[in-house]
């Protein structure tokens, strides 16, 4: 197991201190934390995702025709970057991708100055992935533009939590059209692995209990310090993966974030023995659970190929839900949630919010 104990203080607070210092109102349509959203807004986003997904592509493109969306990525990404870009383009927007490796960021330009530059170039919304927790708040304050957080350090990844929610609802609550504190009542979700470094874990741990889910955090002490249960209300810690599996309707596996371990050495064979989702373990303890993973997956480490490609896996389906959710978030950020409008100021359109029931056969 780990050769040194993780400092219990490495989990940052759910609201970075800088957000508390804001004096000016935040721009409409920003999404930096799941805590930004009321039940009503979550329902509107899910409804809009369903509406946009089913809309004629040529009609849908009128919503944001020639509007400008910037994608500013300081860290690598496949799913978040591509799905936000496809989502913005599906709404007719022009997109510009700025990555830290091929821009003036390499020459030392600050996040603030990069944001001001993008605004001067016409960007009306910035999708940001950054290695520092809280960076989206700084960008929002510097530019006054809506910022969509595509993952900031170990803080949050709210669009991932929303697409995870949409995936769960498609399987567990097909046909429901509202989001309340009881939507996920009776559902236990285990989030397993490197909780300490996971912004996905935090966003889900803050969102799912609000909707009535019981959330179990599971992992070794080095990747899941006791203080993690203070991320938000309704969280419990379980070190025994088999026990957590036996209680779960949903199992969310996490990658070990080698890039954030900062000198922490894990005995990977021991980790796999205790926390790997493999065929025999799933069959013995959770044969009917939904298996989720935000990606990227490391086959043979936190899960085996048998599980990743097996009938319980929703991993590819999660990715697909990401485009619909991100269309809704981009439309909301540019205030174009109303039907057919590409002009700022149009209002959100009421629609059924339940994602289509999945056709996938459960094991
Ligand atoms: N889930 C997720 O954020 O994946 P990417 O790092 O590929 O965007």
């Amino acid at each position: 197991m780990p050769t040194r104990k993780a400092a219990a203080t490495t989990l940052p607070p759910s609201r970075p201190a800088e957000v508390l210092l804001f004096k000016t109102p935040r721009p409409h349509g920003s999404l930096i934390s799941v805590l930004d959203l009321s039940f009503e807004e979550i329902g509107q986003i899910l409804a809009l995702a369903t509406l946009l997904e089913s809309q004629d592509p040529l009609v849908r493109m009128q919503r944001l025709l020639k509007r400008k969306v910037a994608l500013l990525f300081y860290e690598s990404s496949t799913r978040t970057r591509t799905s936000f870009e496809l989502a913005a383009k599906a709404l007719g927007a022009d997109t510009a991708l700025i990555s830290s490796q091929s821009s003036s960021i390499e020459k030392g330009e600050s996040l603030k100055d990069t944001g001001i530059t993008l605004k001067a170039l016409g960007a009306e919304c910035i999708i940001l992935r950054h290695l520092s927790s809280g960076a989206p708040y700084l960008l929002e304050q510097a530019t006054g533009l809506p910022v969509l957080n595509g993952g900031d350090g170990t803080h949050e990844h709210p669009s991932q939590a929303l697409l995870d929610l949409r995936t769960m609802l498609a399987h567990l609550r097909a046909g429901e059209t509202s989001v309340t504190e009881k939507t996920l009542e009776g559902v236990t979700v285990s989030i397993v692995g490197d909780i300490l470094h996971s912004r996905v874990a935090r966003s889900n741990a803050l969102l799912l209990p609000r909707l009535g889910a019981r959330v179990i955090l599971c992992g070794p002490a080095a990747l899941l310090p006791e203080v993690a249960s203070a991320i938000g209300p309704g969280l419990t810690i379980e070190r025994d993966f088999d026990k957590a599996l036996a209680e779960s309707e949903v199992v969310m596996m996490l990658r070990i974030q080698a890039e954030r371990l900062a000198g922490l050495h894990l005995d990977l064979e021991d980790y796999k023995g205790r926390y790997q989702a493999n065929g025999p373990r799933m069959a013995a303890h959770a044969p009917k659970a939904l298996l989720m993973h935000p990606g990227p997956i490391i086959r043979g480490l936190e899960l085996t190929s048998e599980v990743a490609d097996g009938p319980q896996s929703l991993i590819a389906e999660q990715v697909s839900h990401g485009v619909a959710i991100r269309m809704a978030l981009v439309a909301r950020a540019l205030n174009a949630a109303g039907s057919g409008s590409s002009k700022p100021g149009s209002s959100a359109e009421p629609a059924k919010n339940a994602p289509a029931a999945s056709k996938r056969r459960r094991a």
Side-chain angles (χ1 to χ4, degrees), residues 73 76-81 129 150 157 160 199-200 255 293-296 326:
F73 276 65
S76 331
S77 165
T78 299
R79 280 146 288 269
T80 308
R81 199 184 88 181
R129 170 164 289 192
H157 197 345
Q160 179 71 45
R199 50 203 179 205
V200 176
R255 177 177 70 92
H293 192 309
R326 287 166 177 143

Side-chain angles (χ1 to χ4, degrees), residues 99-115:
S99 70
S100 51
Q101 289 85 18
S102 56
S103 66
S104 289
I105 295 165
E106 264 193 335
K107 302 174 193 164
E109 189 166 54
S110 69
L111 173 62
K112 175 176 175 172
D113 289 322
T114 302

Side-chain angles (χ1 to χ4, degrees), residues 255-275:
R255 177 177 70 92
I256 292 180
Q257 301 200 20
E259 70 276 25
R260 298 189 218 277
L261 287 183
L264 177 67
H265 298 293
L266 290 174
D267 178 340
L268 291 182
E269 288 311 312
D270 183 73
Y271 182 83
K272 285 193 270 187
R274 291 176 61 190
Y275 293 105

Side-chain angles (χ1 to χ4, degrees), residues 2 33 205 218:
S33 163
C218 181

Side-chain angles (χ1 to χ4, degrees), residues 18-19 22 24-27 30-32 70-74 98 105 109-120 123-130 132-152:
E18 53 266 50
V19 77
F22 280 1
T24 51
R26 294 181 53 203
S30 268
L31 180 61
I32 295 179
L71 296 112
L72 178 52
F73 276 65
Y74 286 75
I98 305 93
I105 295 165
E109 189 166 54
S110 69
L111 173 62
K112 175 176 175 172
D113 289 322
T114 302
I116 289 169
T117 302
L118 292 176
K119 186 176 182 180
E124 299 169 79
C125 162
I126 302 177
I127 297 151
L128 177 68
R129 170 164 289 192
H130 203 279
S132 298
S133 301
Y137 293 109
L138 189 152
L139 184 65
E140 187 187 68
Q141 200 173 36
T143 62
L145 294 176
V147 172
L148 299 177
N149 182 3
D152 61 327

Side-chain angles (χ1 to χ4, degrees), residues 10-24:
T10 44
L11 280 176
S14 295
R15 286 281 201 193
E18 53 266 50
V19 77
L20 304 173
L21 301 176
F22 280 1
K23 300 239 175 357
T24 51

